[in-house]
Structure formats: C-alpha cells, structure tokens
Amino acid sequence: MTTRAGMLIAAGALVAGTVTVLPASAAGTGDPTPRPLPALSWTGCATKAYPRLQCATLKVPLVHDDPAGRSITLALTRVPHTAETSEGPLLVNPGGPGGSGRGMAGYVAASLPPEVAARYDVIGFDPRGVGRSEPALDCRPGHFDPVRPDSVPRGTHAERNALERAQAFAAACGKKHADVLPYIDTVSTARDLDLIRKALGAERLHYLGYSYGTYLGAVYARLYPERVGRMALDSVVNPNGVWYEDNIAQDYAFDTRHKDFMAWVAKHDAVYRLGTDPAAVEAAWYRMREELRDSPAGGKVGPGELEDTFLPGGYYDGYWPKLASAFAAYVNEQDPEPLTAAYERYGEADSAADNGYSVYTAVQCRDAAWPKDWNVWRKDNWEVHAKAPFSTWNNAWYNAPCAFWPVESLTPPDVSNDQLPPVLILQATDDAATPYEGALALHRMVRGSSLVVEEGGGNHGVTLAGNDCLDRHLSTYLATGAVPRAEGDSEVDAVCAALPAPKPDPAPAKKATKKATAEPATKAAGKATEKAAEKAAVKKASARVLPPGTALHGLLGHVR
C-alpha cells in the first residue's frame, strides 16, 4: 500500500497478464538503435540542509524498444564525491511506486559516514511520471479530499458509490494520460536506471533502495546483472506477491502493528488515561472511529481520514506519541483539535500526494494482473477485515482502480538471480509495510545475498534511521563490498537489536483561559517557527521511510 491510507492489496484467480516480460536474456534490454545520450549538465540547486546538491535532467525514450521515438524527461539530483578516487554513482530510491527521490541524494550523503559518502556520487531521481520528471501524472486532483465516505462499506449502496469513485479515478487516468500509461511500469523504470548509468559514464551502478525500491532494484538486477555493483535493499517487497497478494499480507501486518501501538498506549496509561488493557484501548479507538462517521473532527476527519492519520504509525513508531495524544484528547476531553492537527500533519493529501497516488496506481495496475471480477475483491476483503479490520477496506479502495484499469497488465519478471555480486538485504522482523517473509523470499531467490535482520523492530526503512548496528553493516558494505555470513544453517546472516520504543511526549499544559493575556508577538512567532520546523522534519522523514501514499492514505505501500 503506498498508502495514502491506501503508500506502500490472495485470493481468487487472477486474470492472466496479456503481455509477458521476457527473461533477462531475451528482454531486449539492448536498444536496437541506441540514441546517443547527451552529457548531463549539472547545475547548483543547493538547499540550506544540502549545500552541495546539484540538479540535472535526462531525456529517455518513452518506449524503450523505440529509442528514436518520443522522449520523456527524468529529473536527477547529485551530491558529488569529494575523495580523490570514486566508487562511482550510488543511485538511491525511497520507494513508492510514486515516491519522489530527488531529496534522497542529499539525505543519504548527509547520513552516511563522511568517509563513505565522500567516495560516491550520490544520485537521486524522480522516476518516470513522478514529481519534477516530465510528464508528471495527476489523474484526478482532489481524489482524497475530505470527508470521504466510510471506507468500510455498509450495504450495497455504499459499496456501489465507492466502486464508482474507483472507476472514476481509473477512467480519469485513461482519459488524461492515455499516451503514457502503457509505459509507466517497473520494467520501464528499471530500463531508465540503466540509461542513467550510461549518462553518468559508469560501467556499474551501485544502488540503495527502500520499500518498493527493493523490487525496482531486483528487477534492474535481473535485466542487467553484469552492470550491478553494490546493491543494498532495505525493507523488502515480496516478489512472489506482486501486487494483489502483497497488499493482502499488508492488511494483516498493519492490523498487528496497530495492536502493538494500542499496547504501547496502554503501557503508558499514566500519560494517556485510556486504560491498561490493550484490548480496551483498541475498543476505544474503534468507538472514536464510529463517532467520526456522524461528526467528523474539525469537519474533515471522518473514519477514512482517521485511518489515513494513524496508518503512518504502522510505518514508524516515532509518530506514536503525538498520535496517542490526539487519540487521548478526543476520548478523554472531547477535544477534536489535536486529532485534526494530526490529520493535517500525517494524513492530509496535497498535490504531491495526488501525483504519487497517480503513479502508484499506474505502476501497480500495469505491473501485474489484478482480479477483474469485483466479487473476488469483496469476498477476500471481507474475510481479511473480519480478522484485521484496521485498514483492510481502506487499502482495498486505494487499490480498487486496478479492477478497472484502462491498460492491460504485464506479467511480472522472475527476479531470481545467480549472477550478482553479494547483495545486502536489511529487514525488520515486524515491519508491516513489507512483511518479513518478503525479505526471506528475496534472500532465497538471490544467490549469495546476505540478510541482516532487526529483531523485534517494527519500523519501515531501518537504515540511516538511528540503529547503529544496521548502519555499520550498510556502511561496511558500501565501503568494501563485504557482507556478513551466517554460521551453520541459519538463513539470517546477522542480527541487530531493535531500537527501544518511543517515550511519551510530556503531558501538555492545560489550555489558557480566555482571561489569560495574549502571548507576546515574539513568543507566538517562535512557536510558529518551531511548528514549521517540526512539520518539515516529519515530511523529510516521511519522504524516506514512507511510500508516497502514506500521508494520504494515511502507501508505503503499498507497497505502497
């Protein structure tokens, strides 16, 4: 789920894809009449956080098998190496599909140890259709504007309305972007990566991918195994479930992670006053959800928006304290303002989210077959909802346009590989967006890969996020190419302990009475600046750890 509630959804018979992706040896990855790639022209686009950031654009064929035909433009960023000798380009991708990667170059270069970052040209990019790349998709602006109907359909009328909304999105995509939709897919994007490599003048491409970026990397490695240098894959998509089954697996995993959050709230009853029994706390959350059906908080947070708001907590437990405070304020004080603020911070969609969701659907609906019979979706999602109600139907509607997609589906490639140098796989055992089974599956499919596990960790995107043990493995690999190896028969090559759970925020001061003197302008301005800085930090974290839809679906993810 790339969530935006849906970020980051086995079931019945899938409709067979009508276009087959050939094995690497026969996929036509060598352009029949290659078009010369112009040299990249890098210009400064520094920010305060990343003063050495540079930008460039690259024209690539819309249709790779027609290199002399129409071109599209990819937007790139770079933090150049500073060491005397360079390892070459390290391409980084934050996930999605639909996630903008232009900001990743600066983030990764600043987060790696300086002596490691200095040896690479760290390259970020917006994939085809995304962000600053042209054309950028935006199928139906405002599709997630609040307040949406309850995601759980209560009766045939509600279900029909939700289906019509999904059909409208698919139809809008087909009408607005008919010329490019057949070429917005993972294989096409992987072939773009190789043109980026060529434009950079590199024989091999080093790669760091998160979430959906792990699948993109695996597909690239399948198509161009001889061109892969060091490849680190963090929070792994299960390549055996692309994409319907992977979303079903996410539904169960996000429900489990939501229960973990409820248990954390119960543990801190002294702060949140919602009870010490996790089941009772969860019941209070669902009562809140029910109340919002008839009276949305702030006129904009109904049940679907509530799910959008709390779903990011399934990606990253650092959001738990503020989410718990908003939950407690609503239940204990009948105060909807913190809940509305949490939605605006974590769940509300903007134009970037509209673009991310458009590309998300374009890629996932095109990549693989989805059930075309809505009866299959209905049966599967009610069965899952009975066991995992937190986000199942929200996720179903997020992906529902795939049941009506105007472009025929492809058949996903087999990403099994025995031709690569050692690949480093990093995974938290309790990750909800990309469950642990996906990392095990890819580890078994890629011979010679090494699996590093964060035992007991539930966050998504675990490197360069504060776990020194995981970061040491990543840094050693990028510096030397060396990976850890298990002793004996263990499938896991190294284990890192999870970071501790977050601590609750300090209890907020009581609201000032109307008789209180107004704050001095300087103090109010300082608070506004602090709030803006916090919101910017949240967006930066979300850009890396969450799939594009997370803010919206409140992605990921599906994969997202």
Side-chain angles (χ1 to χ4, degrees):
M1 39 179 81
T2 272
T3 122
R4 231 14 169 171
M7 188 196 254
L8 84 322
I9 337 192
L14 300 179
V15 178
T18 58
V19 181
T20 300
V21 176
L22 299 175
S25 60
T29 56
D31 293 332
T33 54
R35 179 187 345 204
L37 288 173
L40 291 172
S41 177
W42 295 99
T43 59
C45 56
T47 66
K48 185 175 180 180
Y50 309 126
R52 296 193 303 115
L53 194 67
Q54 300 173 344
C55 293
T57 58
L58 175 66
K59 290 188 178 297
V60 299
L62 173 63
V63 184
H64 282 285
D65 290 332
D66 181 19
R70 177 183 171 184
S71 293
I72 58 174
T73 301
L74 305 181
L76 312 179
T77 55
R78 176 178 74 167
V79 177
H81 72 279
T82 56
E84 290 186 5
T85 59
S86 171
E87 299 287 348
L90 173 64
L91 198 68
V92 294
N93 181 272
S100 170
R102 294 176 74 253
M104 281 288 289
Y107 182 90
V108 170
S111 301
L112 287 171
E115 65 275 12
V116 177
R119 296 167 56 183
Y120 286 96
D121 293 320
V122 184
I123 309 295
F125 71 105
D126 281 352
R128 53 174 55 203
V130 175
R132 297 285 183 86
S133 292
E134 297 176 352
L137 272 58
D138 191 350
C139 296
R140 194 170 184 241
H143 183 71
F144 288 98
D145 285 353
V147 173
R148 307 194 305 275
D150 190 346
S151 56
V152 179
R154 306 192 180 204
T156 56
H157 179 72
E159 182 178 352
R160 182 168 59 252
N161 286 342
L163 276 174
E164 289 174 353
R165 184 170 170 273
Q167 287 174 310
F169 186 89
C173 282
K175 181 178 180 180
K176 193 171 183 180
H177 299 297
D179 55 336
V180 296
L181 280 190
Y183 312 107
I184 306 294
D185 61 87
T186 299
V187 170
S188 294
T189 302
R191 296 179 72 175
D192 289 342
L193 301 193
D194 203 55
L195 294 184
I196 294 174
R197 176 195 62 80
K198 290 180 182 178
L200 293 168
E203 292 186 5
R204 289 175 177 264
L205 191 67
H206 305 297
Y207 183 83
L208 170 61
Y210 293 87
S211 193
Y212 165 78
T214 66
Y215 181 65
L216 176 60
V219 171
Y220 177 82
R222 173 66 179 180
L223 297 177
Y224 307 101
E226 73 285 359
R227 298 169 193 170
V228 174
R230 294 165 191 167
M231 177 171 282
L233 306 176
D234 182 330
S235 303
V236 177
V237 168
N238 190 336
N240 296 321
V242 174
W243 289 109
Y244 186 77
E245 292 89 346
D246 277 350
N247 277 278
I248 291 287
Q250 277 190 333
D251 293 338
Y252 288 111
F254 272 109
D255 192 82
T256 297
R257 194 63 180 150
H258 187 63
K259 286 179 168 59
D260 292 342
F261 173 41
M262 298 293 101
W264 181 87
V265 173
K267 180 180 178 180
H268 296 288
D269 178 58
V271 176
Y272 300 115
R273 298 180 293 113
L274 289 166
T276 58
D277 177 9
V281 174
E282 186 177 21
W285 191 90
Y286 282 102
R287 286 195 299 273
M288 174 176 67
R289 185 191 188 284
E290 185 67 20
E291 290 175 12
L292 293 172
R293 291 183 71 244
D294 297 323
S295 182
K300 64 194 309 185
V301 184
E305 290 75 26
L306 183 73
E307 292 157 348
D308 295 352
T309 303
F310 280 77
L311 188 61
Y315 284 91
Y316 176 54
D317 62 13
Y319 299 150
W320 287 2
K322 285 185 169 52
L323 291 174
S325 295
F327 174 21
Y330 183 90
V331 172
N332 295 330
E333 302 169 26
Q334 294 74 55
D335 182 1
E337 290 184 12
L339 193 62
T340 304
Y343 168 69
E344 291 170 350
R345 180 180 291 118
Y346 302 120
E348 192 169 29
D350 56 15
S351 59
D354 285 343
N355 168 243
Y357 179 63
S358 297
V359 178
Y360 169 83
T361 50
V363 171
Q364 293 219 346
C365 300
R366 174 66 166 152
D367 265 4
W370 293 71
K372 298 301 181 183
D373 181 353
W374 184 253
N375 290 322
V376 174
W377 294 68
R378 180 189 297 113
K379 174 179 179 293
D380 292 341
N381 283 283
W382 278 121
E383 287 180 356
V384 177
H385 175 84
K387 300 175 183 177
F390 168 57
S391 62
T392 293
W393 273 106
N394 195 321
N395 194 27
W397 297 121
Y398 195 86
N399 290 282
C402 291
F404 313 103
W405 203 243
V407 180
E408 294 178 331
S409 61
L410 300 166
T411 298
D414 177 3
V415 299
S416 299
N417 214 314
D418 60 2
Q419 303 178 58
L420 300 178
V423 170
L424 182 65
I425 298 172
L426 306 111
Q427 180 74 36
T429 57
D430 298 338
D431 180 2
T434 52
Y436 181 60
E437 291 73 19
L440 286 176
L442 188 65
H443 183 38
R444 293 163 185 163
M445 296 170 76
V446 178
R447 191 176 69 178
S449 61
S450 175
L451 175 60
V452 178
V453 165
E454 186 184 50
E455 185 65 42
N459 289 338
H460 181 64
V462 290
T463 57
L464 307 182
N467 189 313
D468 292 341
C469 174
L470 291 168
D471 289 352
R472 281 194 298 272
H473 284 293
L474 175 63
S475 298
T476 298
Y477 176 66
L478 292 178
T480 68
V483 296
R485 293 299 183 192
E487 297 180 0
D489 297 329
S490 174
E491 282 196 284
V492 176
D493 294 284
V495 176
C496 294
L499 294 174
K503 295 180 180 180
D505 286 343
K510 291 185 178 180
K511 292 183 177 180
T513 65
K514 291 183 179 179
K515 294 181 180 180
T517 302
E519 290 182 326
T522 53
K523 186 174 181 181
K527 285 193 173 183
T529 301
E530 180 181 351
K531 184 176 181 181
E534 177 194 1
K535 191 168 185 179
V538 167
K539 283 189 174 182
K540 184 178 81 170
S542 298
R544 190 183 66 75
V545 261
L546 304 182
T550 297
L552 172 102
H553 173 141
L555 103 80
L556 126 53
H558 285 326
V559 166
R560 268 170 205 247

